[in-house]
Amino acid sequence: MIPTDRKYTREHEWILIEDGIAKIGITDHAQAELGDIVYVELPEVGDSFACGDAIATVESVKAASGIYTVVAGEVVEVNEELADAPEKINEDAYETFIVAVKVSEITESELISAEEYEDFIAQEA
Amino acid sequence: MREAYKLIFERSIQGHKGYDLPALDVPQMDKLIPDEYLADADLELPEIAEIDLVRHYTNLSRRNFGVDNGFYPLGSCTMKYNPKINEEMPALFNNLHPYADADTVNGALELMLNVDKMLSEITGMAKCTLSPAAGAHGELTGLMIIRKYHETREDYDRKTIIVPDAAHGTNPASASMAGFKIKEIKSAPDGGVDLDALRAAVGPDTAGLMLTNPSTLGLFERNIKEVAQIVHDAGGLLYYDGANLNAVMGVVRPGDMGFDVLHMNLHKTFSTPHGGGGPGSGPVAVKAELIPYLPTPVVFENECCGGVKLDYDRPLSIGRVKNFYGNFGVIVKAYAYLLSLGRGVREASQNAVLNANYIRVKLKDVYDIPYDRICMHEFVCAPTKEMIEKGVVTNDIAKALIDRGYHPPTVHFPLIVHEAIMIEPTETESRETLDEFIQAMRDIAKDAIENPDKVHAAPVTTPVGRPDDVGAAKNPIVKF
Amino acid sequence: MKSYVPNTISEREEMLKVVGVNTMDDLFSDVPEDMRLKAGLALHDGMSEIEVRREFLRLAKMNNTDLHIFRGAGSYNHYIPSCIPQLLSRSEFYTAYTPYQAEMSQGMLQSIFEYQTFICRLTGMDVSNASVYDGATAAAEAVSMMFQIGRKKKKKVLLSGGLHHEIIEAVKTYAHCLDIEVVIVPLNEKGTTDVEKISELADGASGIIVQNPNFYGCIEDMQAASDAIHAQGGIFTAYVNPMSLGALKRPCDYNADIAIGDAQPLGMPMSFGGPYAGFMACKKDYTRMIPGRITGETRDSEGNRAYVLTLQAREQHIKRQLASSNICSNQMLCAITASIYLACMGPVGMREVAMQNIQKAHYLADGLTQNKHAKLRYNAPFYNEFVIDTDKNPEVINAVLKSKGFMGGLPLGRVIPGDKTGMLWCATEMNSREEIDALICAFEEAVK
């Protein structure tokens, strides 16, 4: 099931915004497409990103996927666990955030609901 | 047969040695270098007798597979036969120092100029640089030339390179390294450039378009004139990725298609060996107006006093991209090939295209061919729906080919075809070889449906079975 | 005319029928008619092997490779053991592509793994890639790596003025595209990098590259340079001559973060400047930032030790525009050359050959400076190269030496604008005492 507590992008990312902080991760569909994740390239806390920047990269053996952020702002937290256990994303993509950003701007037009995302991946296949 | 082969470090025996130097014949002087600059101990290198060293590398070579071992239809890599005369020629130049006096290197410079002229003629361009060491290095050089061209015209906003989604991964990577932003455009349903998408993509920020023609699908871009027109009208330049040049030599020239700058891979099209990953050579050719931007030094005819000279006085040049003059030894091999073929390059391309089409036609009833029309020197197929339902994917087909004595085609590329298998036979294979390969592919297709477990188990004839890639990447062990 | 096509004309015709077309031209129907090459290429008809060989011999005779070589400057005349060309002629190696199909490429993959181990042992670093094009591109890639290690925030890099001028030029070409400012740290009067200047210039720099021995042959105080850049949070990249490491301190000894260089001295012929190989190694922390191919050890399905290309998702063919380098190939055959050379020499041979270079270069320097017209420019210790200043035009001296069969030291004015007095000399294990003595005699005649 696709959690309904958050928003999605057509680039297969999820964004959960609470108290002005956006937690960003990739969807279960994305982790399945990538296969075994072996490395996550993370930004540093304090780095700032504009909308559309590659904020992190998720790598499997045969693919690499840039996380292009739809929210601009400063990184306030990164998921340090992923350094040693990138497979956490494979195990539970929705419970494993990658970065958290203090939101200064959002590209609302890029965000879709859980239902819309479900339709989107059905269409893509 | 399946067993690990000892590393050279595991063969070390104290006191053994494989070298021999004459005794020092000058009076030995002490304390020439202060102790603080000298190492405390000898290097930790293996100690090996010459015979054991020779056997080690000879046996390692037997655990490898090259074009000389068998058919190697690796798409976009042009694994043609590497003629043996090419291999003998570089030794004539082994002792030539790159900073030898100009009057002692006339032969080497004339050779470089001749290669430049022949490659320029084949591609329909004005001038080449032979400096780049590989295809990707050539791409980077070519893109730097495009950048410098716009900068010199004070057209600083041209910061975007357009790349079709079917392009080689190096294209966007090179453009990024040259400081450009990348705009990717989707391919049209027929596999070509989507002209509407291209029209929408170009603008005052367009520095250029990178295109492979024929494309990575092995299809000639039928709308190439319109493509060139759209990019040029927008003020951009056209870059030709010469990876697939083997399809069109003597038939049509990138210069005549409208391209402004291109690179070639001497290790693909011009028969120099790939060497297991290098050294290669990636000359870049340009139209006349881009000559001033070529990297230094440039080889020119010496107009005042005859002969050939290296010109360093190039104020608009992008600068140097490599030390000395390029991978000269590789250029020598390509010259041997160019001399051997001359106008015969047309026959080479025609037969490369014929061989690819022959395989395509003979596999179309058992594999999925997403773009089934006359192809150029390569084509893309994929496992059928029925095979995939049986759990047989491209990787399995590749491994099954290994057991039948073939190097698999390029797999999982281009990205726009799911489970792609890209087959490039080249012109140097006989019909008999092609027929045997076709039969192997048909047998595997049959096994995939009737006996998928057999395909999953492949390969069984190799020194090792399928390796654990995930384990290697998660926990990298990169030295002994 | 030949094309290495085995099929006869009639076989080709039968194949055309199978494809469903009549002529070769029909295969190219997608090519717009007016674009096709009507006249044919303006090339000759193709040659037999005898004719090809004749042309090469004609060109080879136009070169002069009979001179006794006393010149280095980035390409060195060293001994190449006979087993090297013999083993490199194994066509299972040289006619192979990049080892993407691991099961049938274990020979190449293991060779790369061994090469990486050799480079790590030579430099004392933790991780090596499978090689890059040459020393200059290794330096350019190192600049990009230092930029990434600094999280792309420090848009300045320092280069020692003792780096080979061609390396400086290549780095500038690459750095221009990344909008990185290149600042040259001058040499002091001893001929080595001015360490105080490093401290002055290091603010905001991602790091520095220092060459050892430097272009002028001088042995640098690498520890001091390393300390100076580290004190300001920069990365220290050591560009080293691999053969000199048989005797000199290794990059790990002075806490280098990245070690690079050109592997040419390890068994590669001068070959008019290439192909050589650039080596690159670094500390473990920077594994993800090192460009190019890397081979890793793993297990196969039956638990046997096996090798694969690993960490590939960093590379261009997967990461596309997000990749930090576009490099796809390495210089595999040249890397194997370096491995075979190091295995052949072993620990004792590497020490001995490095010591012979030091001894012969000093014997040569003493001989050349016995007269009042020539003196050593720098007083820093040197390895196998050194600069001699003369009161006579170096080009004139060079011409006299050439007429007597010698390739003398490089007149520096050719590569360093305004240098009217210097010649950069080199002696290696290849120069016998008899040859050196004869050169010294010829030099004395020439400088008089």
Side-chain angles (χ1 to χ4, degrees):
Chain A
M1 268 309 289
I2 298 176
T4 54
D5 60 346
R6 61 194 82 184
K7 295 281 191 184
Y8 296 86
T9 72
R10 290 180 182 81
E11 301 295 326
H12 308 287
E13 290 147 20
W14 58 257
I15 293 130
L16 179 61
I17 304 178
E18 282 171 346
D19 303 329
I21 305 290
K23 284 193 166 173
I24 303 173
I26 64 169
T27 66
D28 190 59
H29 174 79
Q31 72 76 20
E33 286 286 300
L34 280 166
D36 289 309
I37 292 166
V38 295
Y39 183 72
V40 182
E41 189 181 322
L42 296 165
E44 269 183 357
V45 171
D47 286 353
S48 285
F49 290 88
C51 294
D53 284 353
I55 195 167
T57 313
V58 181
E59 297 179 8
S60 67
V61 174
K62 290 188 169 58
S65 177
I67 310 291
Y68 295 95
T69 179
V70 292
V71 297
E74 189 185 310
V75 174
V76 290
E77 192 183 353
V78 297
N79 191 346
E80 303 281 1
E81 256 189 337
L82 296 174
D84 294 322
E87 64 276 10
K88 292 245 174 224
I89 296 176
N90 292 119
E91 289 160 8
D92 194 343
Y94 293 117
E95 282 301 308
T96 312
F97 82 103
I98 296 170
V99 290
V101 175
K102 186 164 192 281
V103 182
S104 62
E105 190 191 335
I106 302 184
T107 320
E108 290 283 357
S109 59
E110 303 270 337
L111 295 176
I112 54 179
S113 69
E115 202 178 329
E116 286 168 312
Y117 179 68
E118 200 161 7
D119 290 346
F120 173 71
I121 50 178
Q123 271 169 25
E124 251 199 348
Chain B
M1 124 156 243
R2 281 214 166 143
E3 58 181 75
Y5 189 68
K6 270 189 189 178
L7 290 162
I8 195 145
F9 304 95
E10 295 168 307
R11 298 180 191 278
S12 182
I13 298 170
Q14 200 179 359
H16 284 208
K17 65 181 200 124
Y19 80 100
D20 188 19
L21 286 173
L24 186 66
D25 58 356
V26 298
Q28 177 140 8
M29 293 182 273
D30 293 330
K31 298 277 168 204
L32 293 174
I33 295 172
D35 284 347
E36 60 188 292
Y37 296 134
L38 293 175
D40 300 329
D42 282 344
L43 290 161
E44 283 181 59
L45 300 175
E47 296 178 84
I48 315 261
E50 184 171 328
I51 182 171
D52 296 318
L53 170 82
V54 168
R55 284 189 180 143
H56 178 75
Y57 282 100
T58 302
N59 288 321
L60 275 184
S61 78
R62 295 177 65 191
R63 292 163 77 89
N64 215 54
F65 187 96
V67 174
D68 284 4
N69 294 92
F71 187 43
Y72 213 125
L74 197 63
S76 268
C77 299
T78 314
M79 300 301 288
K80 62 170 74 177
Y81 174 62
N82 307 129
K84 298 311 161 200
I85 187 169
N86 301 5
E87 299 305 306
E88 282 191 19
M89 296 301 106
L92 291 168
F93 306 90
N94 274 354
N95 292 324
L96 203 55
H97 193 285
Y99 283 161
D101 291 4
D103 63 347
T104 63
V105 298
N106 287 317
L109 293 181
E110 184 178 323
L111 188 154
M112 289 172 74
L113 188 66
N114 290 351
V115 171
D116 167 1
K117 283 181 174 168
M118 293 175 91
L119 296 178
S120 297
E121 170 64 16
I122 289 169
T123 52
M125 308 298 275
K127 179 84 188 159
C128 290
T129 170
L130 307 178
S131 284
H137 200 209
E139 279 182 23
L140 180 62
T141 304
L143 287 158
M144 287 173 171
I145 289 169
I146 291 177
R147 184 180 161 129
K148 189 83 186 191
Y149 165 82
H150 291 306
E151 281 175 1
T152 304
R153 295 157 51 94
E154 298 183 358
D155 210 348
Y156 298 113
D157 294 337
R158 297 196 177 271
K159 289 276 188 195
T160 305
I161 289 286
I162 301 168
V163 181
D165 58 1
H168 296 111
T170 40
N171 289 181
S174 300
S176 174
M177 215 173 158
F180 289 111
K181 291 195 182 78
I182 290 88
K183 204 180 269 182
E184 194 174 271
I185 55 169
K186 290 214 182 304
S187 299
D190 70 349
V193 174
D194 184 326
L195 293 179
D196 290 332
L198 180 60
R199 281 190 198 97
V202 297
D205 66 328
T206 303
L209 167 76
M210 295 183 87
L211 198 66
T212 312
N213 191 19
S215 71
T216 57
L217 293 166
L219 302 175
F220 192 86
E221 178 55 60
R222 288 184 280 211
N223 296 320
I224 182 62
K225 264 194 249 176
E226 290 78 3
V227 169
Q229 187 81 41
I230 293 168
V231 175
H232 283 151
D233 285 352
L237 295 180
L238 247 72
Y239 184 93
Y240 181 86
D241 170 353
N244 294 343
L245 184 64
N246 205 46
V248 296
M249 286 188 294
V251 176
V252 58
R253 308 191 301 176
D256 300 332
M257 297 179 206
F259 287 93
D260 304 292
V261 49
L262 61 84
H263 82 269
M264 291 154 269
N265 300 277
L266 297 187
H267 47 284
K268 293 180 181 178
T269 318
F270 298 99
S271 87
T272 73
H274 284 73
S281 175
V284 166
V286 294
K287 288 277 173 66
E289 66 174 333
L290 297 178
I291 292 175
Y293 310 106
L294 289 172
T296 51
V298 186
V299 183
F300 277 108
E301 254 145 356
N302 209 342
E303 279 159 14
C304 62
C305 37
V308 183
K309 64 166 183 185
L310 288 165
D311 186 12
Y312 290 88
D313 185 18
R314 318 276 308 159
L316 289 178
S317 165
I318 60 167
R320 179 177 277 286
V321 295
K322 193 188 176 308
N323 56 14
F324 307 118
Y325 326 112
N327 280 342
F328 181 78
V330 179
I331 294 162
V332 167
K333 295 179 190 183
Y335 186 50
Y337 181 75
L338 286 164
L339 287 176
S340 300
L341 266 67
R343 282 189 289 118
V345 292
R346 178 181 163 91
E347 186 182 330
S349 283
Q350 286 176 331
N351 283 278
V353 172
L354 175 61
N355 282 0
N357 277 290
Y358 184 76
I359 300 179
R360 177 183 59 84
V361 168
K362 291 212 163 192
L363 289 182
K364 64 195 288 185
D365 59 326
V366 287
Y367 285 89
D368 190 25
I369 298 190
Y371 300 89
D372 189 22
R373 59 175 164 108
I374 298 270
C375 64
M376 292 284 103
H377 67 309
E378 66 188 6
F379 70 98
V380 177
C381 66
T384 60
K385 209 173 159 202
E386 199 183 354
M387 290 181 206
I388 290 175
E389 278 166 11
K390 296 276 183 182
V392 173
V393 292
T394 288
N395 204 39
D396 300 314
I397 295 165
K399 302 304 178 195
L401 277 169
I402 294 176
D403 276 341
R404 286 168 170 82
Y406 298 103
H407 193 285
T410 293
V411 292
H412 301 124
F413 187 83
L415 306 176
I416 59 173
V417 174
H418 193 60
E419 293 291 313
I421 302 174
M422 186 195 224
I423 300 175
E424 179 184 6
T426 84
E427 73 280 8
T428 60
E429 300 298 333
S430 70
R431 181 174 65 173
E432 187 165 14
T433 300
L434 303 184
D435 283 335
E436 286 165 4
F437 172 73
I438 289 161
Q439 193 55 50
M441 285 291 282
R442 297 185 71 92
D443 291 346
I444 293 166
K446 194 158 173 255
D447 280 349
I449 288 156
E450 292 172 5
N451 192 0
D453 286 347
K454 190 175 162 198
V455 186
H456 286 134
V460 296
T461 59
T462 46
V464 300
R466 294 192 193 189
D468 176 11
D469 289 321
V470 175
K474 267 193 185 167
N475 184 16
I477 305 170
V478 296
K479 64 169 181 169
F480 177 60
Chain C
M1 202 149 43
K2 97 173 136 189
S3 54
Y4 297 103
V5 174
N7 293 327
T8 62
I9 298 296
S10 66
E11 283 175 311
R12 295 178 204 179
E13 280 167 0
E14 285 164 28
M15 290 168 72
L16 285 168
K17 272 192 204 124
V18 171
V19 174
V21 297
N22 295 318
T23 66
M24 286 285 192
D25 283 345
D26 294 343
L27 293 171
F28 295 91
S29 55
D30 280 348
V31 181
E33 185 66 37
D34 58 345
M35 207 174 256
R36 291 190 214 175
L37 198 61
K38 306 277 170 344
L41 292 168
L43 296 177
H44 61 84
D45 268 349
M47 293 180 183
S48 66
E49 282 201 10
I50 291 176
E51 293 162 300
V52 171
R53 225 171 259 278
R54 206 175 277 152
E55 162 69 357
F56 271 97
L57 287 174
R58 179 185 74 81
L59 291 170
K61 279 186 190 142
M62 292 165 65
N63 300 324
N64 183 352
T65 49
D66 296 333
L67 301 173
H68 298 278
I69 299 171
F70 290 90
R71 194 172 292 179
S75 181
Y76 300 93
N77 180 32
H78 287 301
Y79 182 64
I80 298 175
S82 299
C83 61
I84 291 180
Q86 289 290 320
L87 287 170
L88 292 180
S89 72
R90 294 292 302 191
S91 65
E92 298 91 332
F93 280 144
Y94 82 74
T95 70
Y97 191 71
T98 302
Y100 285 128
Q101 293 291 341
E103 297 90 337
M104 70 196 315
S105 312
Q106 284 298 299
M108 190 63 79
L109 287 162
Q110 182 170 333
S111 300
I112 301 176
F113 187 80
E114 290 180 356
Y115 165 81
Q116 290 168 185
T117 307
F118 272 118
I119 294 300
C120 287
R121 291 188 176 194
L122 197 59
T123 57
M125 296 283 117
D126 303 315
V127 180
S128 159
N129 68 13
S131 76
V132 294
Y133 308 134
D134 64 3
T137 45
E141 293 282 359
V143 166
S144 161
M145 217 177 138
M146 292 194 285
F147 180 51
Q148 281 179 71
I149 293 170
R151 305 198 77 100
K152 305 192 178 183
K153 287 168 190 162
K154 300 173 178 176
K155 303 212 104 183
K156 178 167 93 171
V157 69
L158 307 184
L159 301 183
S160 156
L163 267 175
H164 194 298
H165 59 281
E166 293 200 358
I167 297 173
I168 293 176
E169 289 168 26
V171 167
K172 281 183 173 171
T173 305
Y174 276 67
H176 172 73
C177 292
L178 297 169
D179 289 322
I180 294 173
E181 182 196 3
V182 175
V183 177
I184 307 295
V185 181
L187 300 185
N188 56 29
E189 76 281 4
K190 275 173 62 189
T192 59
T193 310
D194 189 334
V195 174
E196 279 176 23
K197 282 271 193 280
I198 297 179
S199 306
E200 273 174 40
L201 296 165
D203 186 37
S206 62
I208 187 170
I209 307 180
V210 180
Q211 179 177 340
N212 192 43
N214 69 24
F215 176 70
Y216 303 97
C218 302
I219 296 176
E220 292 273 357
D221 187 346
M222 296 298 269
Q223 186 67 58
S226 173
D227 291 345
I229 194 75
H230 284 144
Q232 304 210 34
I235 297 293
F236 187 61
T237 298
Y239 184 103
V240 289
N241 176 329
M243 189 182 276
S244 75
L245 300 177
L248 301 185
K249 278 213 165 10
R250 288 130 206 170
C252 63
D253 296 333
Y254 38 79
N255 198 23
D257 303 292
I258 302 172
I260 57 173
D262 198 303
Q264 185 269 334
L266 307 179
M268 279 152 248
M270 294 175 288
S271 185
F272 204 46
Y276 306 158
F279 60 88
M280 282 192 95
C282 64
K283 288 182 177 167
K284 194 165 188 279
D285 288 353
Y286 310 127
T287 307
R288 305 283 320 180
M289 278 90 161
I290 196 169
R293 256 176 220 142
I294 296 177
T295 291
E297 182 189 313
T298 188
R299 297 278 151 183
D300 76 355
S301 44
E302 295 166 23
N304 297 305
R305 185 166 73 177
Y307 303 94
V308 290
L309 290 177
T310 193
L311 304 177
Q312 287 194 72
R314 301 157 23 266
E315 292 184 66
Q316 51 72 31
H317 63 284
I318 292 176
K319 217 169 176 184
R320 299 173 80 88
Q321 64 264 37
L322 292 175
S324 55
S325 170
N326 72 334
I327 201 158
C328 338
S329 56
N330 53 348
Q331 299 277 106
M332 192 56 234
L333 223 48
C334 302
I336 294 185
T337 306
S339 290
I340 301 173
Y341 183 85
L342 289 168
C344 207
M345 300 303 281
V348 181
M350 282 303 286
R351 180 184 62 210
E352 191 175 334
V353 73
M355 290 315 289
Q356 286 214 10
N357 274 262
I358 293 168
Q359 292 289 340
K360 298 212 170 193
H362 285 78
Y363 180 79
L364 172 66
D366 285 353
L368 294 176
T369 50
Q370 271 165 10
N371 63 79
K372 63 180 194 297
H373 303 285
K375 62 175 194 342
L376 267 175
R377 178 182 291 182
Y378 301 116
N379 66 4
F382 62 90
Y383 168 63
N384 69 353
E385 286 180 280
F386 52 89
V387 178
I388 296 266
D389 282 320
T390 59
D391 51 19
K392 195 163 182 180
N393 184 344
E395 289 292 352
V396 175
I397 296 171
N398 181 65
V400 173
L401 293 176
K402 187 163 53 182
S403 70
K404 294 184 177 175
F406 298 100
M407 183 190 294
L410 179 73
L412 280 173
R414 291 184 190 176
V415 295
I416 309 294
D419 193 323
K420 294 192 174 69
T421 54
M423 293 177 89
L424 179 62
W425 292 85
C426 177
T428 73
E429 78 282 7
M430 297 292 276
N431 301 114
S432 68
R433 178 175 183 174
E434 195 183 349
E435 193 184 7
I436 299 173
D437 288 342
L439 169 80
I440 292 166
C441 279
F443 180 79
E444 291 201 347
E445 290 292 312
V447 289
K448 258 186 209 159

